[in-house]
Amino acid sequence: MEAACLAALALLVERFFITENETNLLAFPEVAGAIVAFGAGYGWEALARAAWLHRCQLLYWGDIDTHGSGILDQLRGHFTHAAPFLMDPQTLLAHRSHWGEEPESARHDLSSLTAEGAAIYDDLRFRRLQPRLRFEQERVGFGWSTVQPGKPARLGSR
């Protein structure tokens, strides 16, 4: 669905998930009262017009790399309540065997991340864990997510 069309709707959903990977979009489990959308990277201006998104839990699932942090930062510039989904230290460290390299790392400051998000971003941009670390979201194990109907999505708690 085009973002402008989505913005024009007044959907009664509790949670809105955004994923940056089409495979994850297609394989996402059914969650009552929720919608999953394909984010396709930077650029949230059209979606920012969806006033109804301000009243639901907004969860962003991107790669754990500097650009994933940048996309989340940009989204939080429009929706301050947007939270990362499966982009936490526990998820990253539990999947070490699937780490890869980011072709070009971002190094600029990001101002809209939470304290935890900023700490992860600093670890990535300052190469504290591995040079140009990238953990692609499609490599998260299917059993790792804790999305449960009627409960907040818990991030990497397994």
Side-chain angles (χ1 to χ4, degrees):
M1 178 180 291
E2 185 178 316
C5 293
L6 187 65
L9 299 174
L11 299 176
L12 299 174
V13 298
E14 297 169 16
R15 290 184 270 193
F16 188 83
F17 293 89
I18 301 169
T19 182
E20 292 298 327
N21 182 280
E22 289 181 86
T23 300
N24 290 352
L25 173 71
L26 296 172
F28 205 90
E30 186 175 327
V31 178
I35 292 178
V36 182
F38 179 57
Y42 292 95
W44 301 104
E45 290 74 26
L47 196 59
R49 296 181 299 210
W52 59 272
L53 283 173
H54 290 279
R55 62 168 173 68
C56 63
Q57 185 182 24
L58 183 59
L59 296 154
Y60 173 76
W61 186 13
D63 293 338
I64 301 177
D65 63 7
T66 61
H67 292 285
S69 294
I71 294 168
L72 176 60
D73 180 76
Q74 187 184 76
L75 176 63
R76 285 181 53 84
H78 295 285
F79 300 97
T80 57
H81 70 290
F85 178 68
L86 299 175
M87 295 176 70
D88 56 282
Q90 295 83 8
T91 301
L92 178 63
L93 295 174
H95 294 84
R96 184 179 285 266
S97 63
H98 297 290
W99 289 4
E101 283 193 5
E102 188 174 37
E104 283 187 42
S105 298
R107 305 269 311 205
H108 59 281
D109 291 338
L110 300 176
S111 60
S112 296
L113 297 176
T114 63
E116 181 180 64
I120 294 168
Y121 177 64
D122 285 347
D123 285 345
L124 296 168
R125 74 176 171 152
F126 297 129
R127 302 175 176 186
R128 294 177 182 150
L129 301 172
Q130 173 180 302
R132 297 186 332 212
L133 173 58
R134 175 185 219 179
F135 174 56
E136 295 178 284
Q137 63 180 272
E138 62 269 24
R139 295 192 167 271
V140 172
F142 279 109
W144 190 254
S145 171
T146 58
V147 178
Q148 298 174 6
K151 296 183 180 179
R154 293 180 291 155
L155 310 179
S157 62
R158 292 187 181 201

